[in-house]
Amino acid sequence: MRTASPGGPFALGSEVPLSMEEPADVGIGFSSLRFINDHVGFQGTIKTSPSDFIVIEIDEHGQLVNKAIDESAYETNKIQSEPSDSVKKPKLHVQDVPLEHESNEEVTSLIGYVDSDQNHLSGLENEDSINGVISKCEEESIDLLSSLLDEKTQMLLDQFACDIKGMWNSETESIAPSLELSLGRILDKEQRAALHSAVRQKFPFLATVGSNREVVVKPNLEYKELCHLVSEEEALGFFKYLDAKKENSKFTFKPDTSKDHRKAVHHFLNKRFGNLVETKSFPGQNHSSGDPNTAITVRFREKAHGKRSRLECERRKTVYTAFTLQKENLEMFEAISFLAVKLGVIPSDFSYAGLKDKKAITYQSMVVRKVTPGRLKSIEQEIKKKRMNVFNIRSVGDSLRLGQLKGNHFEIIIRNLKNQVNDSTSLRERILEAIENVKKGFVNYYGPQRFGKGKKIQTDQIGLALLRNEMVKAIKLFLTPEDMDDPVNKAKKYFLQTEDAKGTLSLMPEFRVRERALLESLHRFGMTEEGCVQAWFSFPHSMRIFYIHAYSSKIWNEAASYRLEAYGAKVVKGDLICLDEDAGEHFPSSKVHLVTEEEESANTYAIHQVVLPVLGYNVQYPENKVGQWYRGVLSRDGLQSCRFRMPALKLNVPGCYRHILKHPHNVSHQLVLADPEVEVEGSHTDDATSCLSMSFDLDASCYATVCLREMMKGDI
C-alpha cells in the first residue's frame, strides 16, 4: 500500500508487484526504486519490436537530428576551423619548428615512414625525395639552433653529440645516465620550447630536460634500447616522428617476418611510450601471418599531445565529418566499431553527445575524425546491411562532447494493455489518469540499460573493479559468459577456464569487435595486472569511462531512493539545491546551494530543485542523513580512500549533479482501438483499447523507460 508523503503534492510509494512487460528480456530487478505519484497505473508491453521504440536526439539548437539540416547554419564552424590571421604570432613561429609542416608533404625516415593519409605508401618508394625532406628538416634545425645558441655552445653541443654517438658505435659499456650538457638558461618560454624541439630533431639520440628555465641535454637511453630491436635508421625516424607530434600521422617500421620479434617491439613501445602512442601490426596483401610485408605501425593516441598553443590548434587541419546515425536493434558501441573498420579509423575517432538504446530505432548526431564526407558517403550502401544508415553528412570544425544535446524525442507504442490485478476501473480512465500524473514528474533514475539489462554481469560491477584497481578481475567480469551455448559464450567460457587469449581469439566470432580487440591485447601483453591495464586501452576513452559511470549511476539510484525514503518530498536542511533553473546535469558546485534550517522552515525550495551528487572528486555531498549514507556506501564498496582519478587508465571522474525529479515535455498520445468484435484479454467490455501510442521529449540523460515505469506503475 502506498503511503502519503509528508510534504508537497506528491505521494511516495515503494515498489509494488506490478509488471511492465518487455518480451524475452526480464532485466534487472529495481526493487528499491520508488514512485513519486499516487495513481494506480496499468499493464502493457514495451519494445515488442524496435519500431515500437523510436529515439530521436534533439541537438543544442532544439532541432530533431533526423530532419534535413540547413548546412548554412554550420558555416560558422567551418570558418572557425581555418587558421586565423588575426591571432597574434609568437616571436618564434611554431611553423618554423622542423616537421610541423602546413603542406601535405609526407615526412619520412630513411627506412620507416610517416603517413598522414588513410592509405599507406611503400616505405621504400621515392627515396630521393624522402632524403631531401629530411635533409631540409635537418637544415631548418641547424638554422634554428644557430639563432638560439651562441657559437661556443653550438660547438659544445656538437662535440657532446659526437662523443655519445662514438661511444654507442664502439659498442663499449653502457653510457652512464649522469652524462649531460647544459645549454644555459633560456628565459623566454617559447624559445625554450623551440630549442628542445630543435635539439631532438637534429640529434634524436639525445634527450632534453628543463629545470628552472635551464635546458639540459642527456643521452636518450630509450633510443639506444630501441636500436637493440630495430635498425638505427628506424630508431632515428621513430624518435623524429615522436618529437614532431604531427597530427594524424603514422610511423611504420620495416616489414618483419618474425612474430616473436614484432611482439618484443610492441612490448617495448607500449611500455615506454604507451601513454603517447598505440601500435598495431598490419599484414601485406595476402593477409597471412607469415607475410614478409607484416609491419608495425605507430600512431598517436587521442589527446596524447597535451595542451597546444592557440595558434597551433588553429593551424591543425584535421578533417571532422558530422553525420546523423540511424541504427536499428544495434548497440551503439557495436555500431561504432563496425563503422571504424569500414572507414579505416579507430573507435576513439568517433564522438557523440549521448548513448542510445539498443532495442530501438535511434537517430543521433556523431562526428568522425580523419574521414572526409565523401569517404563516409561511399559506405552508405554497405552499412545498410548492418541495419544502419548515415545522412546529413557535412564538414564541421570539431568533435562532439558528451552532453552536447538538449534532449531526446521519443515515439513509443505500448501494446497488450490491461488493468492492474483486481482493478475494476475503466482501462481508458486508468491510462488517461496515468498520463496526466506523469506530466507532474518522475524520479529521475538511470534506466536499466545503463547497467547491461538482462546480463549476468552488470556494467557497474566492472566499473567497481576498475575503481578498485582490480584490473584482472575487471577483465574476467567483462568476459564472463551468459548461460547460453552460442559461439560467443563458448569462447568466453573457454577463456575463463584457460586464460588462453590466443585460443579464445580463434573461437571468438569476427563480429565481436570489442572482445577480439581485448583478447588481442591480452595475447600481446599477458594476463597480468599490467597486461590487463594495456588491454583496457584497446577500448576508446568513452568506453573505459562508461563502466565507471555505470557504477556511479547505480549508487545515484540507490541514493535517490534513500533520500525519498528518509525525507519524502519535503526539502530539508542539508539538502543540495540547484540555483540555476536551466542547468543540465553538468554544472559546477558554485551553482549548488546547501539548504539551511531557516529555509527548511520557510519551505523556500521545492523537491524538483533538489539534486544529488554523482560520484567524483569534485562534488559536494549533502549534509544530512544522505551524506552519511554516501560515506557508508563508499566504505561498503572499499572506496573510502578512492580519489576517482585513475592515471593507469587515463581516467578522471570529476562527478556531477543530477536532479531527483524530472518531467516529460510536449506529451501527446493516441489510444488505438482494436476490432470491437474481438475481446481484449484483461480489459472490460467497454474498453477495446489494444495499444497506446505516445510521444514526448525528455531532457538529456533522462530515460524514457523510467518515465514509463512511473506512468504504468510497473517494474522495468
Side-chain angles (χ1 to χ4, degrees):
M1 181 175 180
R2 296 177 178 80
T3 57
S5 168
F10 297 106
L12 296 171
S14 59
E15 187 70 42
V16 292
L18 308 176
S19 64
M20 180 165 64
E21 301 167 16
E22 188 167 335
D25 196 356
V26 177
I28 59 176
F30 279 4
S31 59
S32 63
L33 304 194
R34 304 177 68 85
F35 299 115
I36 197 71
N37 294 297
D38 191 18
H39 63 269
V40 175
F42 57 95
Q43 296 186 33
T45 304
I46 65 170
K47 296 188 178 182
T48 303
S49 69
S51 60
D52 280 357
F53 204 94
I54 299 174
V55 187
I56 307 170
E57 195 168 274
I58 306 172
D59 68 19
E60 290 182 304
H61 307 288
Q63 301 298 312
L64 297 175
V65 301
N66 67 330
K67 305 297 183 184
I69 287 178
D70 178 7
E71 293 196 29
S72 64
Y74 294 86
E75 287 301 311
T76 302
N77 288 339
K78 293 181 185 178
I79 294 171
Q80 290 176 346
S81 67
E82 295 298 320
S84 173
D85 294 332
S86 64
V87 179
K88 185 177 180 180
K89 295 183 179 180
K91 295 177 182 178
L92 282 171
H93 305 314
V94 178
Q95 58 264 36
D96 291 336
V97 179
L99 297 185
E100 294 291 329
H101 296 290
E102 286 191 46
S103 70
N104 292 325
E105 188 172 26
E106 191 179 56
V107 182
T108 314
S109 72
L110 293 172
I111 301 297
Y113 59 88
V114 179
D115 181 19
S116 298
D117 300 323
Q118 294 299 326
N119 299 315
H120 281 204
L121 302 174
S122 169
L124 301 179
E125 292 177 0
N126 303 321
E127 189 167 313
D128 291 339
S129 63
I130 289 168
N131 292 340
V133 171
I134 291 184
S135 298
K136 181 181 177 182
C137 293
E138 289 174 347
E139 288 173 4
E140 291 176 355
S141 297
I142 294 171
D143 291 341
L144 188 56
L145 285 173
S146 299
S147 69
L148 294 170
L149 301 175
D150 58 47
E151 186 176 350
K152 180 180 178 181
T153 307
Q154 282 189 73
M155 290 178 60
L156 289 172
L157 175 61
D158 290 341
Q159 186 60 50
F160 181 78
C162 186
D163 291 343
I164 296 298
K165 199 68 179 295
M167 295 171 71
W168 276 348
N169 290 340
S170 66
E171 298 185 356
T172 55
E173 59 189 81
S174 60
I175 299 173
S178 58
L179 284 175
E180 61 182 43
L181 171 70
S182 173
L183 301 182
R185 298 183 70 202
I186 309 292
L187 298 181
D188 186 87
K189 183 178 180 181
E190 292 163 358
Q191 290 184 354
R192 284 200 309 275
L195 180 58
H196 279 289
S197 181
V199 171
R200 293 194 298 261
Q201 284 296 321
K202 185 179 179 183
F203 307 111
F205 52 89
L206 299 180
T208 60
V209 294
S211 176
N212 295 323
R213 301 180 179 178
E214 181 184 17
V215 178
V216 177
V217 182
K218 297 182 177 183
N220 187 344
L221 300 182
E222 292 173 335
Y223 176 94
K224 180 64 174 175
E225 190 174 351
L226 182 59
C227 285
H228 290 308
L229 294 171
V230 300
S231 68
E232 186 170 352
E233 290 84 356
E234 288 175 283
L236 182 78
F238 172 74
F239 276 93
K240 280 179 176 288
Y241 161 80
L242 199 66
D243 182 65
K245 298 183 177 68
K246 187 173 182 182
E247 191 73 13
N248 307 322
S249 62
K250 300 175 185 177
F251 179 86
T252 299
F253 290 90
K254 286 194 301 184
D256 188 351
T257 58
S258 171
K259 188 173 184 179
D260 289 337
H261 184 258
R262 292 198 306 270
K263 187 175 181 180
V265 176
H266 277 297
H267 180 75
F268 170 80
L269 295 175
N270 282 282
K271 182 178 180 181
R272 298 293 188 185
F273 310 105
N275 61 328
L276 286 175
V277 299
E278 56 189 357
T279 65
K280 285 189 177 181
S281 289
F282 288 97
Q285 292 182 353
N286 64 13
H287 296 281
S288 67
S289 59
D291 193 312
N293 290 324
T294 301
I296 295 174
T297 293
V298 182
R299 63 170 287 176
F300 285 108
R301 291 190 183 278
E302 185 181 11
K303 298 180 181 179
H305 312 318
K307 294 181 179 178
R308 302 290 188 95
S309 68
R310 180 182 174 187
L311 176 62
E312 186 179 358
C313 288
E314 291 186 345
R315 288 180 63 252
R316 288 185 296 179
K317 294 191 175 180
T318 303
V319 175
Y320 294 94
T321 296
F323 61 98
T324 296
L325 172 68
Q326 175 193 350
K327 61 181 181 66
E328 178 179 342
N329 201 27
L330 194 65
E331 190 184 53
M332 195 192 74
F333 289 124
E334 184 181 348
I336 288 176
S337 296
F338 183 81
L339 289 172
V341 170
K342 294 300 178 185
L343 294 169
V345 294
I346 57 177
S348 59
D349 287 323
F350 290 83
S351 57
Y352 43 86
L355 306 177
K356 296 293 179 282
D357 298 71
K358 175 185 177 181
K359 194 170 184 181
I361 297 176
T362 67
Y363 300 82
Q364 66 187 116
S365 294
M366 281 199 176
V367 173
V368 58
R369 298 188 308 162
K370 300 185 289 293
V371 174
T372 64
R375 176 75 181 100
L376 182 57
K377 288 177 182 177
S378 70
I379 67 167
E380 281 184 87
Q381 295 304 314
E382 191 173 0
I383 66 174
K384 286 181 179 178
K385 302 172 186 176
K386 192 73 174 176
R387 305 182 305 280
M388 287 191 289
N389 189 22
V390 290
F391 55 97
N392 284 337
I393 300 171
R394 63 202 185 276
S395 294
V396 291
D398 207 347
S399 300
L400 282 170
R401 66 181 186 277
L402 282 173
Q404 194 176 343
L405 74 165
K406 190 172 183 180
N408 292 285
H409 172 76
F410 296 89
E411 296 177 2
I412 296 171
I413 297 177
I414 307 171
R415 302 188 184 275
N416 304 322
L417 303 175
K418 53 188 177 182
N419 290 77
Q420 302 287 15
V421 178
N422 298 325
D423 179 22
S424 59
T425 305
S426 160
L427 178 58
R428 181 189 298 271
E429 183 180 331
R430 286 300 189 210
I431 292 172
L432 297 178
E433 173 191 52
I435 292 172
E436 289 305 309
N437 272 279
V438 81
K439 291 178 183 178
K440 301 174 185 176
F442 58 91
V443 186
N444 192 25
Y445 291 119
Y446 289 97
Q449 56 268 48
R450 183 85 166 187
F451 312 104
K453 185 173 182 180
K455 303 293 184 182
K456 181 184 294 185
I457 298 298
Q458 303 292 296
T459 54
D460 62 276
Q461 295 173 264
I462 299 174
L464 177 58
L466 292 175
L467 282 169
R468 294 171 63 168
N469 285 311
E470 298 172 343
M471 300 300 171
V472 175
K473 179 180 180 180
I475 291 288
K476 290 182 176 180
L477 287 171
F478 179 82
L479 291 172
T480 296
E482 300 298 319
D483 295 327
M484 292 182 284
D485 203 30
D486 60 285
V488 173
N489 287 292
K490 282 182 178 179
K492 289 182 176 181
K493 185 176 181 181
Y494 174 80
F495 178 81
L496 289 190
Q497 291 172 341
T498 65
E499 295 187 4
D500 174 14
K502 183 178 180 181
T504 309
L505 262 173
S506 66
L507 299 173
M508 187 64 68
E510 292 287 340
F511 69 89
R512 297 306 290 245
V513 179
R514 279 184 291 166
E515 285 84 351
R516 290 187 62 84
L518 194 75
L519 290 166
E520 286 172 357
S521 293
L522 290 174
H523 175 50
R524 181 186 304 171
F525 300 111
M527 193 63 182
T528 62
E529 286 289 329
E530 182 181 348
C532 289
V533 169
Q534 292 298 325
W536 280 109
F537 278 104
S538 66
F539 292 166
H541 176 274
S542 57
M543 188 171 175
R544 297 197 303 275
I545 199 74
F546 169 77
Y547 292 104
I548 308 298
H549 287 166
Y551 171 76
S552 299
S553 301
K554 178 195 174 189
I555 299 306
W556 190 94
N557 279 1
E558 294 178 0
S561 289
Y562 179 81
R563 164 60 182 78
L564 293 172
E565 181 181 354
Y567 298 117
K570 180 176 175 59
V571 180
V572 300
K573 176 185 177 182
D575 272 338
L576 299 177
I577 297 295
C578 177
L579 299 176
D580 185 351
E581 292 289 338
D582 299 322
E585 186 168 333
H586 298 278
F587 50 87
S589 294
S590 60
K591 292 188 177 182
V592 173
H593 170 70
L594 198 67
V595 176
T596 65
E597 187 173 354
E598 293 75 20
E599 290 169 335
E600 175 187 349
S601 300
N603 291 321
T604 306
Y605 302 108
I607 186 65
H608 71 270
Q609 295 175 282
V610 175
V611 296
L612 289 174
V614 180
L615 296 176
Y617 62 79
N618 197 30
V619 293
Q620 178 182 359
Y621 291 93
E623 294 185 9
N624 50 31
K625 291 181 182 179
V626 182
Q628 297 171 11
W629 180 91
Y630 270 103
R631 288 188 287 274
V633 167
L634 290 174
S635 178
R636 175 199 73 188
D637 291 343
L639 298 176
Q640 58 268 38
S641 59
C642 179
R643 295 178 178 270
F644 292 95
R645 298 180 188 268
M646 306 177 64
L649 292 178
K650 298 193 178 305
L651 298 178
N652 289 318
V653 188
C656 59
Y657 299 92
R658 185 175 176 89
H659 285 87
I660 289 184
L661 295 187
K662 283 287 185 176
H663 62 274
H665 312 280
N666 304 319
V667 180
S668 64
H669 71 276
Q670 181 180 4
L671 290 176
V672 181
L673 303 179
D675 187 339
E677 300 298 322
V678 179
E679 182 179 351
V680 179
E681 181 182 355
S683 67
H684 302 298
T685 55
D686 62 330
D687 287 314
T689 305
S690 60
C691 65
L692 170 65
S693 176
M694 291 192 69
S695 77
F696 52 86
D697 300 339
L698 292 177
D699 294 339
S701 193
C702 294
Y703 289 78
T705 48
V706 174
C707 178
L708 294 177
R709 172 187 178 273
E710 177 71 39
M711 183 179 75
M712 298 170 69
K713 287 291 185 284
D715 201 358
I716 49 178

